[in-house]
Amino acid sequence: MSDPDSLGQPTRGVDLWQARNFVGHNDDTHEFLYGEYTGDSVAYHEETLPQYEIVVDSNVSKSQSRRERATTLLTAVLPDLMAHPGIPPVGRPVPNDRALDDRQLLATGCGYCNEQARLFVRLCQVAGIPARMVFLFYLDETSETTAGGHVVAEFATRDGWAMADTSYFVVFPDDEGALLNAADCHRPENRERVRAAYAQRGSVLHELSDEALVGQRFAHLPDGQERRKAVADYADSKRPPADPDTAEWGGRDPGVFGVQNYPLPPADWRWD
């Protein structure tokens, strides 16, 4: 990696700690990461995250499979809870060094990819689904792994782990419909499947109105010609093409990734 010291900057608190303490995936750690590293059950203690319980209980049911619950939280719930300040549908600008706790994270309404991943992982855990953070790093034109990348998540299904991009709200199915995990997504034979999932999301975003695509960013402006022009101009810069080939990896090859558990609060946890 070209500059390991840049990892996590300029975040603070738990976000910085997570960015610098994941377990890197490689041939030596693969069996550990997809075996014993994350348990297959969730030790969530009721009422430690009551706001999350309300969201989960209002949107999913224990009668649903893990996959059904997690994909509902990803595609139908998370987009309304937290928009990204740069990825469409674009939310309002926010600082990237907020170091928010779980309660603040749920209430903020907008956040960067690491915050979106944290929020999704917590929702899954409260819903009884094992989930964890995934840190992606890309290759530059010289095939050098860069410190730039993206944070997503994985959740557990009965068939294994599944990667979820919590900023684009997509999962990555294979040709039979099974969901790919992060290791699968980094295999060359799955590159086109990953690109297809992002492209499908991009085609949905392409059809959104200017207001739906970027309007939240300009919510502070009064309705009028100035706001309409600002929305239209910004929408032009954020709208994916009609036939998007890449929505996230943008033609860059995926490099390496790391995985990190996000432990739940203990039973006696008390918020200040």
mmCIF file of all heavy atoms in Angstrom, residues 184-201:
data_model
loop_
_atom_site.group_PDB
_atom_site.id
_atom_site.type_symbol
_atom_site.label_atom_id
_atom_site.label_comp_id
_atom_site.label_asym_id
_atom_site.label_seq_id
_atom_site.Cartn_x
_atom_site.Cartn_y
_atom_site.Cartn_z
ATOM 1 N N ASP A 184 -15.450 -13.590 -2.877
ATOM 2 C CA ASP A 184 -15.974 -13.940 -4.199
ATOM 3 C C ASP A 184 -15.920 -12.745 -5.142
ATOM 4 O O ASP A 184 -15.565 -12.877 -6.315
ATOM 5 C CB ASP A 184 -17.437 -14.399 -4.096
ATOM 6 C CG ASP A 184 -17.607 -15.687 -3.321
ATOM 7 O OD1 ASP A 184 -16.686 -16.530 -3.336
ATOM 8 O OD2 ASP A 184 -18.677 -15.849 -2.692
ATOM 9 N N CYS A 185 -16.313 -11.584 -4.641
ATOM 10 C CA CYS A 185 -16.373 -10.386 -5.485
ATOM 11 C C CYS A 185 -14.998 -9.968 -5.992
ATOM 12 O O CYS A 185 -14.893 -9.276 -7.011
ATOM 13 C CB CYS A 185 -17.018 -9.231 -4.724
ATOM 14 S SG CYS A 185 -18.802 -9.402 -4.470
ATOM 15 N N HIS A 186 -13.940 -10.386 -5.295
ATOM 16 C CA HIS A 186 -12.595 -10.020 -5.712
ATOM 17 C C HIS A 186 -11.970 -11.044 -6.650
ATOM 18 O O HIS A 186 -10.841 -10.834 -7.116
ATOM 19 C CB HIS A 186 -11.706 -9.830 -4.478
ATOM 20 C CG HIS A 186 -11.907 -8.512 -3.802
ATOM 21 N ND1 HIS A 186 -13.038 -8.213 -3.078
ATOM 22 C CD2 HIS A 186 -11.125 -7.401 -3.772
ATOM 23 C CE1 HIS A 186 -12.928 -6.979 -2.606
ATOM 24 N NE2 HIS A 186 -11.799 -6.472 -3.020
ATOM 25 N N ARG A 187 -12.674 -12.124 -6.927
ATOM 26 C CA ARG A 187 -12.135 -13.114 -7.854
ATOM 27 C C ARG A 187 -12.357 -12.652 -9.290
ATOM 28 O O ARG A 187 -13.439 -12.167 -9.634
ATOM 29 C CB ARG A 187 -12.780 -14.475 -7.614
ATOM 30 C CG ARG A 187 -12.440 -15.073 -6.259
ATOM 31 C CD ARG A 187 -12.876 -16.520 -6.152
ATOM 32 N NE ARG A 187 -12.434 -17.087 -4.889
ATOM 33 C CZ ARG A 187 -13.204 -17.220 -3.813
ATOM 34 N NH1 ARG A 187 -14.483 -16.858 -3.880
ATOM 35 N NH2 ARG A 187 -12.725 -17.722 -2.696
ATOM 36 N N PRO A 188 -11.363 -12.827 -10.155
ATOM 37 C CA PRO A 188 -11.488 -12.345 -11.544
ATOM 38 C C PRO A 188 -12.713 -12.881 -12.269
ATOM 39 O O PRO A 188 -13.327 -12.159 -13.059
ATOM 40 C CB PRO A 188 -10.184 -12.838 -12.192
ATOM 41 C CG PRO A 188 -9.214 -12.949 -11.065
ATOM 42 C CD PRO A 188 -10.021 -13.374 -9.871
ATOM 43 N N GLU A 189 -13.090 -14.124 -11.995
ATOM 44 C CA GLU A 189 -14.219 -14.703 -12.714
ATOM 45 C C GLU A 189 -15.551 -14.061 -12.330
ATOM 46 O O GLU A 189 -16.567 -14.259 -13.028
ATOM 47 C CB GLU A 189 -14.300 -16.219 -12.464
ATOM 48 C CG GLU A 189 -14.543 -16.625 -11.025
ATOM 49 C CD GLU A 189 -13.270 -16.877 -10.244
ATOM 50 O OE1 GLU A 189 -12.213 -16.282 -10.613
ATOM 51 O OE2 GLU A 189 -13.311 -17.668 -9.285
ATOM 52 N N ASN A 190 -15.573 -13.278 -11.241
ATOM 53 C CA ASN A 190 -16.818 -12.617 -10.813
ATOM 54 C C ASN A 190 -16.823 -11.122 -11.108
ATOM 55 O O ASN A 190 -17.787 -10.434 -10.758
ATOM 56 C CB ASN A 190 -17.040 -12.841 -9.316
ATOM 57 C CG ASN A 190 -17.451 -14.269 -9.009
ATOM 58 O OD1 ASN A 190 -18.237 -14.869 -9.749
ATOM 59 N ND2 ASN A 190 -16.928 -14.817 -7.925
ATOM 60 N N ARG A 191 -15.783 -10.628 -11.732
ATOM 61 C CA ARG A 191 -15.690 -9.184 -11.969
ATOM 62 C C ARG A 191 -16.906 -8.660 -12.721
ATOM 63 O O ARG A 191 -17.484 -7.622 -12.358
ATOM 64 C CB ARG A 191 -14.414 -8.862 -12.733
ATOM 65 C CG ARG A 191 -14.271 -7.375 -13.065
ATOM 66 C CD ARG A 191 -12.931 -7.083 -13.705
ATOM 67 N NE ARG A 191 -12.862 -5.724 -14.180
ATOM 68 C CZ ARG A 191 -12.594 -4.665 -13.426
ATOM 69 N NH1 ARG A 191 -12.406 -4.823 -12.134
ATOM 70 N NH2 ARG A 191 -12.538 -3.457 -13.950
ATOM 71 N N GLU A 192 -17.317 -9.349 -13.772
ATOM 72 C CA GLU A 192 -18.438 -8.861 -14.566
ATOM 73 C C GLU A 192 -19.752 -8.950 -13.798
ATOM 74 O O GLU A 192 -20.664 -8.138 -14.017
ATOM 75 C CB GLU A 192 -18.528 -9.628 -15.889
ATOM 76 C CG GLU A 192 -17.387 -9.347 -16.846
ATOM 77 C CD GLU A 192 -17.200 -7.854 -17.102
ATOM 78 O OE1 GLU A 192 -18.221 -7.160 -17.327
ATOM 79 O OE2 GLU A 192 -16.048 -7.379 -17.053
ATOM 80 N N ARG A 193 -19.881 -9.916 -12.906
ATOM 81 C CA ARG A 193 -21.094 -10.012 -12.083
ATOM 82 C C ARG A 193 -21.175 -8.815 -11.144
ATOM 83 O O ARG A 193 -22.260 -8.258 -10.929
ATOM 84 C CB ARG A 193 -21.095 -11.319 -11.299
ATOM 85 C CG ARG A 193 -21.187 -12.575 -12.168
ATOM 86 C CD ARG A 193 -21.268 -13.843 -11.311
ATOM 87 N NE ARG A 193 -21.403 -15.029 -12.145
ATOM 88 C CZ ARG A 193 -20.388 -15.785 -12.540
ATOM 89 N NH1 ARG A 193 -19.144 -15.463 -12.166
ATOM 90 N NH2 ARG A 193 -20.602 -16.854 -13.296
ATOM 91 N N VAL A 194 -20.045 -8.425 -10.575
ATOM 92 C CA VAL A 194 -20.016 -7.260 -9.685
ATOM 93 C C VAL A 194 -20.335 -5.994 -10.470
ATOM 94 O O VAL A 194 -21.158 -5.169 -10.045
ATOM 95 C CB VAL A 194 -18.644 -7.154 -8.992
ATOM 96 C CG1 VAL A 194 -18.523 -5.839 -8.219
ATOM 97 C CG2 VAL A 194 -18.423 -8.341 -8.060
ATOM 98 N N ARG A 195 -19.720 -5.855 -11.622
ATOM 99 C CA ARG A 195 -19.976 -4.672 -12.441
ATOM 100 C C ARG A 195 -21.443 -4.610 -12.865
ATOM 101 O O ARG A 195 -22.033 -3.535 -12.935
ATOM 102 C CB ARG A 195 -19.066 -4.690 -13.666
ATOM 103 C CG ARG A 195 -17.587 -4.474 -13.336
ATOM 104 C CD ARG A 195 -16.699 -4.809 -14.520
ATOM 105 N NE ARG A 195 -16.850 -3.856 -15.595
ATOM 106 C CZ ARG A 195 -16.023 -2.822 -15.791
ATOM 107 N NH1 ARG A 195 -15.011 -2.618 -14.974
ATOM 108 N NH2 ARG A 195 -16.218 -2.001 -16.799
ATOM 109 N N ALA A 196 -22.031 -5.777 -13.149
ATOM 110 C CA ALA A 196 -23.433 -5.805 -13.568
ATOM 111 C C ALA A 196 -24.358 -5.331 -12.452
ATOM 112 O O ALA A 196 -25.355 -4.636 -12.704
ATOM 113 C CB ALA A 196 -23.824 -7.216 -14.003
ATOM 114 N N ALA A 197 -24.042 -5.704 -11.201
ATOM 115 C CA ALA A 197 -24.875 -5.266 -10.080
ATOM 116 C C ALA A 197 -24.823 -3.748 -9.927
ATOM 117 O O ALA A 197 -25.851 -3.091 -9.710
ATOM 118 C CB ALA A 197 -24.423 -5.952 -8.789
ATOM 119 N N TYR A 198 -23.624 -3.172 -10.042
ATOM 120 C CA TYR A 198 -23.496 -1.717 -9.972
ATOM 121 C C TYR A 198 -24.160 -1.041 -11.172
ATOM 122 O O TYR A 198 -24.795 0.008 -11.042
ATOM 123 C CB TYR A 198 -22.031 -1.310 -9.893
ATOM 124 C CG TYR A 198 -21.418 -1.481 -8.525
ATOM 125 C CD1 TYR A 198 -20.295 -2.277 -8.349
ATOM 126 C CD2 TYR A 198 -21.949 -0.836 -7.416
ATOM 127 C CE1 TYR A 198 -19.710 -2.428 -7.100
ATOM 128 C CE2 TYR A 198 -21.375 -0.978 -6.163
ATOM 129 C CZ TYR A 198 -20.251 -1.779 -6.007
ATOM 130 O OH TYR A 198 -19.696 -1.925 -4.768
ATOM 131 N N ALA A 199 -24.017 -1.641 -12.335
ATOM 132 C CA ALA A 199 -24.624 -1.053 -13.528
ATOM 133 C C ALA A 199 -26.139 -1.019 -13.415
ATOM 134 O O ALA A 199 -26.786 -0.049 -13.830
ATOM 135 C CB ALA A 199 -24.195 -1.828 -14.770
ATOM 136 N N GLN A 200 -26.711 -2.077 -12.855
ATOM 137 C CA GLN A 200 -28.165 -2.105 -12.688
ATOM 138 C C GLN A 200 -28.609 -0.994 -11.742
ATOM 139 O O GLN A 200 -29.615 -0.307 -12.001
ATOM 140 C CB GLN A 200 -28.611 -3.459 -12.164
ATOM 141 C CG GLN A 200 -30.122 -3.592 -12.011
ATOM 142 C CD GLN A 200 -30.528 -4.967 -11.542
ATOM 143 O OE1 GLN A 200 -29.750 -5.720 -10.966
ATOM 144 N NE2 GLN A 200 -31.792 -5.316 -11.785
ATOM 145 N N ARG A 201 -27.860 -0.801 -10.672
ATOM 146 C CA ARG A 201 -28.178 0.290 -9.750
ATOM 147 C C ARG A 201 -28.028 1.637 -10.445
ATOM 148 O O ARG A 201 -28.861 2.545 -10.290
ATOM 149 C CB ARG A 201 -27.269 0.230 -8.529
ATOM 150 C CG ARG A 201 -27.401 1.401 -7.553
ATOM 151 C CD ARG A 201 -28.788 1.514 -6.983
ATOM 152 N NE ARG A 201 -28.858 2.573 -5.985
ATOM 153 C CZ ARG A 201 -29.995 3.073 -5.503
ATOM 154 N NH1 ARG A 201 -31.159 2.600 -5.917
ATOM 155 N NH2 ARG A 201 -29.976 4.036 -4.609
#
